[in-house]
Amino acid sequence: MSAHCQLTGAKPGFGHHISHSHRRTPRRFDPNIQRKRYWLASEGRHVRLTLSARAIKAIDSIGIEAAVARIRARGAKV
């Protein structure tokens, strides 16, 4: 599963581990990605979305219909 949110577009950030001796090695900061299934009443079917935890809270606030409209506006297939 790719670490990419369909609603917010959150994706991994990159940086360094910094040791006690201050040596730097590459690392990845992954967003908290979850797969969630929602009932889409307008189409009479379930949709499975790959979302960050922040996007799940946003869907609780704006509703699944508005969220799917935003995802489709970005050009992604739902």
Side-chain angles (χ1 to χ4, degrees), residues 10-72:
K11 54 189 175 189
F14 295 90
H16 292 96
H17 286 288
I18 300 181
S19 70
H20 181 69
S21 65
H22 219 64
R23 288 180 59 115
R24 294 176 167 96
T25 55
R27 66 159 293 178
R28 215 168 105 136
F29 294 91
D30 286 326
N32 184 5
I33 297 294
Q34 312 291 326
R35 284 191 53 123
K36 192 121 167 80
R37 190 173 149 216
Y38 289 98
W39 174 251
L40 198 57
S42 64
E43 297 180 16
R45 68 184 183 105
H46 284 97
V47 291
R48 189 176 299 273
L49 300 174
T50 304
L51 302 167
S52 64
R54 186 175 61 176
I56 292 171
K57 293 175 189 176
I59 289 176
D60 290 343
S61 174
I62 65 173
I64 186 63
E65 301 290 341
V68 168
R70 286 186 192 180
I71 292 169
R72 287 182 174 148

Short mmCIF file of all heavy atoms in Angstrom, two decimals, residues 10-72:
data_model
loop_
_atom_site.label_atom_id
_atom_site.label_comp_id
_atom_site.label_asym_id
_atom_site.label_seq_id
_atom_site.Cartn_x
_atom_site.Cartn_y
_atom_site.Cartn_z
N ALA A 10 -1.56 13.82 1.40
CA ALA A 10 -0.41 13.65 2.29
C ALA A 10 0.43 12.48 1.80
O ALA A 10 -0.08 11.43 1.44
CB ALA A 10 -0.88 13.39 3.71
N LYS A 11 1.73 12.68 1.76
CA LYS A 11 2.65 11.63 1.34
C LYS A 11 3.90 11.70 2.21
O LYS A 11 4.04 12.65 2.98
CB LYS A 11 2.99 11.76 -0.13
CG LYS A 11 3.50 13.09 -0.55
CD LYS A 11 3.59 13.20 -2.06
CE LYS A 11 3.98 14.61 -2.44
NZ LYS A 11 3.88 14.83 -3.87
N PRO A 12 4.78 10.72 2.12
CA PRO A 12 5.93 10.71 3.02
C PRO A 12 6.83 11.94 2.87
O PRO A 12 7.01 12.46 1.76
CB PRO A 12 6.70 9.45 2.60
CG PRO A 12 5.71 8.61 1.92
CD PRO A 12 4.74 9.54 1.27
N GLY A 13 7.38 12.36 3.98
CA GLY A 13 8.41 13.39 3.99
C GLY A 13 9.74 12.70 4.24
O GLY A 13 9.78 11.58 4.75
N PHE A 14 10.81 13.34 3.87
CA PHE A 14 12.12 12.71 4.01
C PHE A 14 13.02 13.59 4.85
O PHE A 14 12.90 14.82 4.85
CB PHE A 14 12.75 12.46 2.64
CG PHE A 14 11.97 11.47 1.82
CD1 PHE A 14 10.95 11.89 1.00
CD2 PHE A 14 12.25 10.13 1.93
CE1 PHE A 14 10.22 10.97 0.27
CE2 PHE A 14 11.53 9.20 1.21
CZ PHE A 14 10.50 9.63 0.37
N GLY A 15 13.91 12.96 5.58
CA GLY A 15 14.83 13.69 6.44
C GLY A 15 15.98 12.78 6.85
O GLY A 15 16.35 11.88 6.11
N HIS A 16 16.50 13.02 8.04
CA HIS A 16 17.64 12.26 8.53
C HIS A 16 17.41 11.81 9.97
O HIS A 16 16.82 12.55 10.76
CB HIS A 16 18.92 13.11 8.52
CG HIS A 16 19.40 13.44 7.16
ND1 HIS A 16 19.08 14.63 6.54
CD2 HIS A 16 20.17 12.74 6.28
CE1 HIS A 16 19.65 14.65 5.33
NE2 HIS A 16 20.31 13.51 5.16
N HIS A 17 17.89 10.60 10.28
CA HIS A 17 18.10 10.22 11.68
C HIS A 17 19.37 10.95 12.09
O HIS A 17 20.33 10.99 11.32
CB HIS A 17 18.38 8.72 11.81
CG HIS A 17 17.21 7.85 11.62
ND1 HIS A 17 16.19 7.74 12.53
CD2 HIS A 17 16.89 6.99 10.61
CE1 HIS A 17 15.30 6.86 12.10
NE2 HIS A 17 15.71 6.40 10.92
N ILE A 18 19.39 11.51 13.26
CA ILE A 18 20.62 12.16 13.73
C ILE A 18 21.04 11.45 15.01
O ILE A 18 20.31 11.46 16.00
CB ILE A 18 20.44 13.66 13.96
CG1 ILE A 18 20.03 14.32 12.65
CG2 ILE A 18 21.71 14.28 14.49
CD1 ILE A 18 19.83 15.80 12.72
N SER A 19 22.19 10.81 14.99
CA SER A 19 22.66 10.03 16.12
C SER A 19 23.25 10.96 17.18
O SER A 19 23.38 12.18 16.99
CB SER A 19 23.72 9.04 15.66
OG SER A 19 24.90 9.73 15.31
N HIS A 20 23.63 10.35 18.30
CA HIS A 20 24.24 11.12 19.38
C HIS A 20 25.54 11.79 18.91
O HIS A 20 25.85 12.91 19.33
CB HIS A 20 24.50 10.20 20.57
CG HIS A 20 25.11 10.89 21.74
ND1 HIS A 20 24.42 11.81 22.50
CD2 HIS A 20 26.36 10.80 22.27
CE1 HIS A 20 25.23 12.26 23.45
NE2 HIS A 20 26.40 11.67 23.35
N SER A 21 26.26 11.11 18.01
CA SER A 21 27.51 11.68 17.50
C SER A 21 27.24 12.65 16.35
O SER A 21 28.17 13.18 15.75
CB SER A 21 28.45 10.57 17.02
OG SER A 21 27.88 9.90 15.92
N HIS A 22 25.98 12.86 16.03
CA HIS A 22 25.51 13.80 15.02
C HIS A 22 25.76 13.33 13.59
O HIS A 22 25.79 14.13 12.66
CB HIS A 22 26.09 15.20 15.24
CG HIS A 22 25.09 16.28 14.98
ND1 HIS A 22 23.96 16.45 15.72
CD2 HIS A 22 25.04 17.24 14.02
CE1 HIS A 22 23.27 17.47 15.25
NE2 HIS A 22 23.90 17.96 14.21
N ARG A 23 25.90 12.00 13.40
CA ARG A 23 25.95 11.44 12.05
C ARG A 23 24.54 11.38 11.52
O ARG A 23 23.61 11.07 12.26
CB ARG A 23 26.55 10.04 12.07
CG ARG A 23 28.04 10.05 12.34
CD ARG A 23 28.58 8.65 12.35
NE ARG A 23 28.33 8.01 11.06
CZ ARG A 23 29.28 7.64 10.22
NH1 ARG A 23 30.54 7.83 10.52
NH2 ARG A 23 28.98 7.06 9.08
N ARG A 24 24.38 11.64 10.24
CA ARG A 24 23.05 11.65 9.64
C ARG A 24 22.88 10.46 8.70
O ARG A 24 23.75 10.20 7.88
CB ARG A 24 22.83 12.94 8.86
CG ARG A 24 22.80 14.16 9.73
CD ARG A 24 22.68 15.40 8.88
NE ARG A 24 22.34 16.54 9.68
CZ ARG A 24 23.22 17.41 10.15
NH1 ARG A 24 24.50 17.25 9.90
NH2 ARG A 24 22.81 18.43 10.87
N THR A 25 21.74 9.78 8.83
CA THR A 25 21.38 8.71 7.90
C THR A 25 19.95 8.98 7.42
O THR A 25 19.14 9.51 8.17
CB THR A 25 21.46 7.32 8.56
OG1 THR A 25 20.65 7.33 9.73
CG2 THR A 25 22.89 6.97 8.93
N PRO A 26 19.64 8.62 6.19
CA PRO A 26 18.33 8.94 5.63
C PRO A 26 17.19 8.21 6.35
O PRO A 26 17.35 7.08 6.80
CB PRO A 26 18.41 8.45 4.19
CG PRO A 26 19.84 8.25 3.91
CD PRO A 26 20.51 7.99 5.20
N ARG A 27 16.04 8.86 6.44
CA ARG A 27 14.83 8.25 6.99
C ARG A 27 13.61 8.80 6.29
O ARG A 27 13.71 9.76 5.53
CB ARG A 27 14.73 8.46 8.49
CG ARG A 27 14.54 9.90 8.89
CD ARG A 27 13.95 10.03 10.26
NE ARG A 27 12.58 9.53 10.25
CZ ARG A 27 11.81 9.48 11.32
NH1 ARG A 27 12.26 9.89 12.47
NH2 ARG A 27 10.59 9.04 11.24
N ARG A 28 12.47 8.20 6.57
CA ARG A 28 11.20 8.57 5.94
C ARG A 28 10.17 8.84 7.02
O ARG A 28 10.03 8.05 7.95
CB ARG A 28 10.74 7.38 5.10
CG ARG A 28 10.06 7.72 3.84
CD ARG A 28 9.95 6.45 3.04
NE ARG A 28 8.59 5.96 3.08
CZ ARG A 28 7.95 5.52 2.02
NH1 ARG A 28 8.55 5.48 0.86
NH2 ARG A 28 6.73 5.10 2.12
N PHE A 29 9.43 9.94 6.90
CA PHE A 29 8.33 10.25 7.81
C PHE A 29 7.03 9.91 7.10
O PHE A 29 6.58 10.65 6.23
CB PHE A 29 8.32 11.75 8.16
CG PHE A 29 9.51 12.20 8.96
CD1 PHE A 29 10.64 12.67 8.31
CD2 PHE A 29 9.50 12.15 10.33
CE1 PHE A 29 11.74 13.10 9.03
CE2 PHE A 29 10.60 12.58 11.06
CZ PHE A 29 11.72 13.06 10.41
N ASP A 30 6.44 8.74 7.43
CA ASP A 30 5.21 8.31 6.76
C ASP A 30 3.98 8.89 7.45
O ASP A 30 3.92 8.95 8.67
CB ASP A 30 5.10 6.78 6.79
CG ASP A 30 6.05 6.11 5.83
OD1 ASP A 30 6.29 6.70 4.76
OD2 ASP A 30 6.54 5.01 6.14
N PRO A 31 2.97 9.31 6.67
CA PRO A 31 1.71 9.73 7.27
C PRO A 31 0.96 8.51 7.81
O PRO A 31 1.24 7.37 7.41
CB PRO A 31 0.95 10.37 6.10
CG PRO A 31 1.54 9.77 4.90
CD PRO A 31 2.96 9.45 5.22
N ASN A 32 0.03 8.74 8.72
CA ASN A 32 -0.75 7.66 9.33
C ASN A 32 -1.86 7.26 8.36
O ASN A 32 -2.96 7.80 8.40
CB ASN A 32 -1.32 8.15 10.66
CG ASN A 32 -2.05 7.06 11.40
OD1 ASN A 32 -2.07 5.91 10.98
ND2 ASN A 32 -2.66 7.43 12.51
N ILE A 33 -1.56 6.32 7.46
CA ILE A 33 -2.48 5.93 6.39
C ILE A 33 -3.32 4.72 6.82
O ILE A 33 -2.78 3.75 7.34
CB ILE A 33 -1.69 5.60 5.10
CG1 ILE A 33 -0.95 6.83 4.60
CG2 ILE A 33 -2.60 5.04 4.02
CD1 ILE A 33 -1.84 7.94 4.12
N GLN A 34 -4.62 4.82 6.59
CA GLN A 34 -5.57 3.74 6.89
C GLN A 34 -6.42 3.48 5.66
O GLN A 34 -6.68 4.40 4.89
CB GLN A 34 -6.50 4.16 8.04
CG GLN A 34 -5.82 4.74 9.24
CD GLN A 34 -5.01 3.73 10.00
OE1 GLN A 34 -5.39 2.56 10.06
NE2 GLN A 34 -3.88 4.14 10.54
N ARG A 35 -6.89 2.24 5.50
CA ARG A 35 -7.88 1.92 4.45
C ARG A 35 -9.24 1.88 5.12
O ARG A 35 -9.42 1.15 6.08
CB ARG A 35 -7.55 0.59 3.79
CG ARG A 35 -6.38 0.74 2.85
CD ARG A 35 -6.18 -0.45 2.00
NE ARG A 35 -7.39 -0.83 1.31
CZ ARG A 35 -7.51 -0.95 0.00
NH1 ARG A 35 -6.49 -0.68 -0.76
NH2 ARG A 35 -8.62 -1.34 -0.55
N LYS A 36 -10.17 2.66 4.60
CA LYS A 36 -11.49 2.78 5.24
C LYS A 36 -12.56 2.60 4.19
O LYS A 36 -12.43 3.06 3.06
CB LYS A 36 -11.58 4.16 5.90
CG LYS A 36 -12.75 4.32 6.82
CD LYS A 36 -12.26 4.67 8.20
CE LYS A 36 -13.40 5.15 9.07
NZ LYS A 36 -14.18 4.05 9.59
N ARG A 37 -13.66 1.95 4.58
CA ARG A 37 -14.76 1.68 3.67
C ARG A 37 -15.95 2.53 4.10
O ARG A 37 -16.35 2.53 5.27
CB ARG A 37 -15.09 0.20 3.76
CG ARG A 37 -16.03 -0.28 2.72
CD ARG A 37 -16.14 -1.79 2.82
NE ARG A 37 -17.47 -2.16 2.39
CZ ARG A 37 -18.19 -3.13 2.90
NH1 ARG A 37 -17.70 -3.85 3.87
NH2 ARG A 37 -19.38 -3.39 2.45
N TYR A 38 -16.53 3.26 3.14
CA TYR A 38 -17.67 4.14 3.40
C TYR A 38 -18.82 3.76 2.48
O TYR A 38 -18.61 3.33 1.34
CB TYR A 38 -17.32 5.61 3.13
CG TYR A 38 -16.39 6.22 4.15
CD1 TYR A 38 -15.03 6.31 3.90
CD2 TYR A 38 -16.88 6.73 5.34
CE1 TYR A 38 -14.17 6.88 4.81
CE2 TYR A 38 -16.03 7.29 6.27
CZ TYR A 38 -14.69 7.37 6.00
OH TYR A 38 -13.84 7.93 6.91
N TRP A 39 -20.05 3.96 2.95
CA TRP A 39 -21.24 3.76 2.14
C TRP A 39 -21.51 5.06 1.40
O TRP A 39 -21.67 6.12 2.01
CB TRP A 39 -22.43 3.38 3.00
CG TRP A 39 -23.70 3.31 2.24
CD1 TRP A 39 -24.74 4.18 2.33
CD2 TRP A 39 -24.08 2.32 1.27
NE1 TRP A 39 -25.75 3.79 1.49
CE2 TRP A 39 -25.38 2.66 0.82
CE3 TRP A 39 -23.47 1.20 0.74
CZ2 TRP A 39 -26.05 1.92 -0.14
CZ3 TRP A 39 -24.13 0.46 -0.20
CH2 TRP A 39 -25.41 0.82 -0.64
N LEU A 40 -21.55 5.00 0.07
CA LEU A 40 -21.83 6.15 -0.77
C LEU A 40 -23.28 6.04 -1.22
O LEU A 40 -23.60 5.32 -2.16
CB LEU A 40 -20.86 6.17 -1.95
CG LEU A 40 -20.69 7.47 -2.70
CD1 LEU A 40 -20.27 8.59 -1.78
CD2 LEU A 40 -19.67 7.30 -3.80
N ALA A 41 -24.18 6.72 -0.52
CA ALA A 41 -25.62 6.57 -0.73
C ALA A 41 -26.06 7.01 -2.12
O ALA A 41 -26.95 6.42 -2.71
CB ALA A 41 -26.38 7.34 0.34
N SER A 42 -25.42 8.05 -2.66
CA SER A 42 -25.83 8.58 -3.96
C SER A 42 -25.61 7.56 -5.08
O SER A 42 -26.32 7.58 -6.09
CB SER A 42 -25.07 9.87 -4.28
OG SER A 42 -23.69 9.59 -4.41
N GLU A 43 -24.64 6.66 -4.91
CA GLU A 43 -24.35 5.65 -5.93
C GLU A 43 -24.80 4.26 -5.51
O GLU A 43 -24.69 3.32 -6.29
CB GLU A 43 -22.86 5.65 -6.26
CG GLU A 43 -22.40 6.96 -6.84
CD GLU A 43 -20.91 6.97 -7.15
OE1 GLU A 43 -20.30 5.88 -7.21
OE2 GLU A 43 -20.37 8.07 -7.34
N GLY A 44 -25.28 4.13 -4.27
CA GLY A 44 -25.76 2.84 -3.79
C GLY A 44 -24.68 1.78 -3.67
O GLY A 44 -24.93 0.61 -3.93
N ARG A 45 -23.49 2.18 -3.28
CA ARG A 45 -22.37 1.23 -3.17
C ARG A 45 -21.38 1.69 -2.11
O ARG A 45 -21.43 2.82 -1.64
CB ARG A 45 -21.65 1.08 -4.51
CG ARG A 45 -20.91 2.34 -4.93
CD ARG A 45 -20.28 2.17 -6.30
NE ARG A 45 -19.52 3.35 -6.68
CZ ARG A 45 -18.18 3.40 -6.67
NH1 ARG A 45 -17.48 2.35 -6.33
NH2 ARG A 45 -17.55 4.50 -7.03
N HIS A 46 -20.50 0.76 -1.73
CA HIS A 46 -19.42 1.10 -0.82
C HIS A 46 -18.21 1.57 -1.62
O HIS A 46 -18.00 1.11 -2.75
CB HIS A 46 -19.01 -0.13 0.01
CG HIS A 46 -19.97 -0.47 1.09
ND1 HIS A 46 -20.93 -1.42 0.94
CD2 HIS A 46 -20.11 0.02 2.34
CE1 HIS A 46 -21.63 -1.52 2.05
NE2 HIS A 46 -21.16 -0.64 2.92
N VAL A 47 -17.43 2.46 -1.03
CA VAL A 47 -16.14 2.85 -1.62
C VAL A 47 -15.07 2.61 -0.57
O VAL A 47 -15.28 2.83 0.61
CB VAL A 47 -16.11 4.33 -2.08
CG1 VAL A 47 -17.01 4.54 -3.26
CG2 VAL A 47 -16.47 5.27 -0.97
N ARG A 48 -13.94 2.12 -1.01
CA ARG A 48 -12.81 1.90 -0.11
C ARG A 48 -11.76 2.95 -0.44
O ARG A 48 -11.30 3.06 -1.57
CB ARG A 48 -12.23 0.50 -0.31
CG ARG A 48 -11.21 0.13 0.74
CD ARG A 48 -10.73 -1.28 0.59
NE ARG A 48 -11.78 -2.26 0.73
CZ ARG A 48 -12.16 -2.77 1.91
NH1 ARG A 48 -11.60 -2.35 3.02
NH2 ARG A 48 -13.11 -3.68 1.96
N LEU A 49 -11.40 3.74 0.58
CA LEU A 49 -10.47 4.85 0.38
C LEU A 49 -9.21 4.64 1.21
O LEU A 49 -9.25 4.05 2.29
CB LEU A 49 -11.13 6.18 0.78
CG LEU A 49 -12.39 6.56 0.03
CD1 LEU A 49 -13.00 7.81 0.64
CD2 LEU A 49 -12.10 6.78 -1.43
N THR A 50 -8.10 5.14 0.72
CA THR A 50 -6.84 5.16 1.45
C THR A 50 -6.67 6.56 1.99
O THR A 50 -6.47 7.51 1.22
CB THR A 50 -5.67 4.80 0.50
OG1 THR A 50 -5.96 3.54 -0.10
CG2 THR A 50 -4.37 4.71 1.26
N LEU A 51 -6.79 6.70 3.31
CA LEU A 51 -6.87 8.03 3.94
C LEU A 51 -5.88 8.15 5.08
O LEU A 51 -5.56 7.17 5.75
CB LEU A 51 -8.27 8.25 4.48
CG LEU A 51 -9.43 8.17 3.51
CD1 LEU A 51 -10.74 8.11 4.25
CD2 LEU A 51 -9.40 9.36 2.58
N SER A 52 -5.46 9.38 5.34
CA SER A 52 -4.69 9.66 6.55
C SER A 52 -5.68 9.83 7.71
O SER A 52 -6.88 10.03 7.50
CB SER A 52 -3.87 10.93 6.37
OG SER A 52 -4.71 12.04 6.20
N ALA A 53 -5.19 9.75 8.92
CA ALA A 53 -6.05 9.89 10.09
C ALA A 53 -6.70 11.28 10.10
O ALA A 53 -7.86 11.43 10.47
CB ALA A 53 -5.23 9.68 11.36
N ARG A 54 -5.99 12.27 9.64
CA ARG A 54 -6.54 13.63 9.58
C ARG A 54 -7.67 13.71 8.56
O ARG A 54 -8.67 14.40 8.77
CB ARG A 54 -5.43 14.62 9.22
CG ARG A 54 -5.88 16.06 9.26
CD ARG A 54 -4.72 16.99 9.03
NE ARG A 54 -4.13 16.76 7.71
CZ ARG A 54 -3.15 17.48 7.22
NH1 ARG A 54 -2.62 18.46 7.91
NH2 ARG A 54 -2.67 17.23 6.02
N ALA A 55 -7.55 12.98 7.45
CA ALA A 55 -8.60 12.98 6.43
C ALA A 55 -9.86 12.26 6.93
O ALA A 55 -10.98 12.65 6.58
CB ALA A 55 -8.10 12.32 5.17
N ILE A 56 -9.68 11.22 7.75
CA ILE A 56 -10.84 10.53 8.33
C ILE A 56 -11.63 11.49 9.21
O ILE A 56 -12.87 11.52 9.17
CB ILE A 56 -10.39 9.28 9.11
CG1 ILE A 56 -9.84 8.23 8.14
CG2 ILE A 56 -11.54 8.69 9.92
CD1 ILE A 56 -9.17 7.05 8.81
N LYS A 57 -10.94 12.31 9.98
CA LYS A 57 -11.62 13.31 10.81
C LYS A 57 -12.30 14.36 9.94
O LYS A 57 -13.39 14.84 10.27
CB LYS A 57 -10.61 13.98 11.75
CG LYS A 57 -10.07 13.05 12.79
CD LYS A 57 -8.99 13.74 13.61
CE LYS A 57 -8.28 12.74 14.50
NZ LYS A 57 -7.17 13.35 15.23
N ALA A 58 -11.69 14.71 8.82
CA ALA A 58 -12.29 15.68 7.91
C ALA A 58 -13.57 15.13 7.30
O ALA A 58 -14.57 15.84 7.16
CB ALA A 58 -11.31 16.06 6.81
N ILE A 59 -13.59 13.84 6.96
CA ILE A 59 -14.79 13.21 6.41
C ILE A 59 -15.90 13.18 7.45
O ILE A 59 -17.07 13.39 7.13
CB ILE A 59 -14.48 11.80 5.86
CG1 ILE A 59 -13.65 11.93 4.59
CG2 ILE A 59 -15.76 11.02 5.58
CD1 ILE A 59 -13.20 10.61 4.01
N ASP A 60 -15.54 12.95 8.72
CA ASP A 60 -16.55 13.00 9.78
C ASP A 60 -17.18 14.39 9.85
O ASP A 60 -18.34 14.54 10.18
CB ASP A 60 -15.92 12.66 11.13
CG ASP A 60 -15.52 11.19 11.24
OD1 ASP A 60 -16.02 10.39 10.42
OD2 ASP A 60 -14.72 10.87 12.13
N SER A 61 -16.42 15.40 9.51
CA SER A 61 -16.89 16.78 9.57
C SER A 61 -17.67 17.19 8.32
O SER A 61 -18.78 17.72 8.43
CB SER A 61 -15.70 17.71 9.78
OG SER A 61 -16.09 19.05 9.71
N ILE A 62 -17.13 16.94 7.13
CA ILE A 62 -17.75 17.45 5.89
C ILE A 62 -18.70 16.46 5.24
O ILE A 62 -19.50 16.84 4.40
CB ILE A 62 -16.68 17.88 4.86
CG1 ILE A 62 -15.86 16.68 4.36
CG2 ILE A 62 -15.79 18.97 5.41
CD1 ILE A 62 -14.93 17.01 3.22
N GLY A 63 -18.57 15.17 5.57
CA GLY A 63 -19.42 14.15 4.97
C GLY A 63 -18.73 13.45 3.82
O GLY A 63 -17.87 14.02 3.14
N ILE A 64 -19.15 12.22 3.57
CA ILE A 64 -18.50 11.40 2.54
C ILE A 64 -18.79 11.90 1.14
O ILE A 64 -17.93 11.85 0.27
CB ILE A 64 -18.87 9.90 2.70
CG1 ILE A 64 -18.08 9.03 1.72
CG2 ILE A 64 -20.36 9.68 2.54
CD1 ILE A 64 -16.60 9.04 1.90
N GLU A 65 -19.99 12.44 0.90
CA GLU A 65 -20.34 12.92 -0.44
C GLU A 65 -19.42 14.08 -0.86
O GLU A 65 -18.91 14.11 -1.98
CB GLU A 65 -21.80 13.36 -0.51
CG GLU A 65 -22.81 12.27 -0.17
CD GLU A 65 -22.90 11.18 -1.22
OE1 GLU A 65 -22.47 11.42 -2.37
OE2 GLU A 65 -23.40 10.10 -0.89
N ALA A 66 -19.22 15.02 0.06
CA ALA A 66 -18.34 16.17 -0.23
C ALA A 66 -16.90 15.72 -0.39
O ALA A 66 -16.16 16.24 -1.23
CB ALA A 66 -18.45 17.21 0.88
N ALA A 67 -16.48 14.74 0.42
CA ALA A 67 -15.11 14.25 0.33
C ALA A 67 -14.86 13.55 -1.00
O ALA A 67 -13.82 13.77 -1.64
CB ALA A 67 -14.83 13.28 1.48
N VAL A 68 -15.81 12.74 -1.47
CA VAL A 68 -15.66 12.07 -2.75
C VAL A 68 -15.64 13.09 -3.88
O VAL A 68 -14.88 12.95 -4.85
CB VAL A 68 -16.77 11.00 -2.95
CG1 VAL A 68 -16.82 10.51 -4.38
CG2 VAL A 68 -16.55 9.84 -1.99
N ALA A 69 -16.44 14.15 -3.75
CA ALA A 69 -16.43 15.21 -4.76
C ALA A 69 -15.05 15.87 -4.82
O ALA A 69 -14.54 16.16 -5.92
CB ALA A 69 -17.50 16.24 -4.45
N ARG A 70 -14.41 16.09 -3.68
CA ARG A 70 -13.06 16.68 -3.64
C ARG A 70 -12.03 15.75 -4.26
O ARG A 70 -11.12 16.18 -4.98
CB ARG A 70 -12.64 17.00 -2.21
CG ARG A 70 -13.32 18.20 -1.63
CD ARG A 70 -12.75 18.52 -0.26
NE ARG A 70 -13.56 19.49 0.43
CZ ARG A 70 -13.29 19.96 1.64
NH1 ARG A 70 -12.22 19.55 2.29
NH2 ARG A 70 -14.08 20.85 2.20
N ILE A 71 -12.16 14.46 -3.96
CA ILE A 71 -11.21 13.48 -4.52
C ILE A 71 -11.34 13.45 -6.04
O ILE A 71 -10.35 13.44 -6.77
CB ILE A 71 -11.45 12.09 -3.91
CG1 ILE A 71 -11.08 12.09 -2.43
CG2 ILE A 71 -10.66 11.03 -4.65
CD1 ILE A 71 -11.51 10.85 -1.67
N ARG A 72 -12.58 13.45 -6.54
CA ARG A 72 -12.79 13.43 -7.99
C ARG A 72 -12.34 14.73 -8.63
O ARG A 72 -11.88 14.73 -9.77
CB ARG A 72 -14.26 13.16 -8.29
CG ARG A 72 -14.62 11.71 -8.01
CD ARG A 72 -16.04 11.40 -8.35
NE ARG A 72 -16.28 9.97 -8.20
CZ ARG A 72 -17.43 9.44 -7.85
NH1 ARG A 72 -18.47 10.22 -7.62
NH2 ARG A 72 -17.56 8.15 -7.73
#
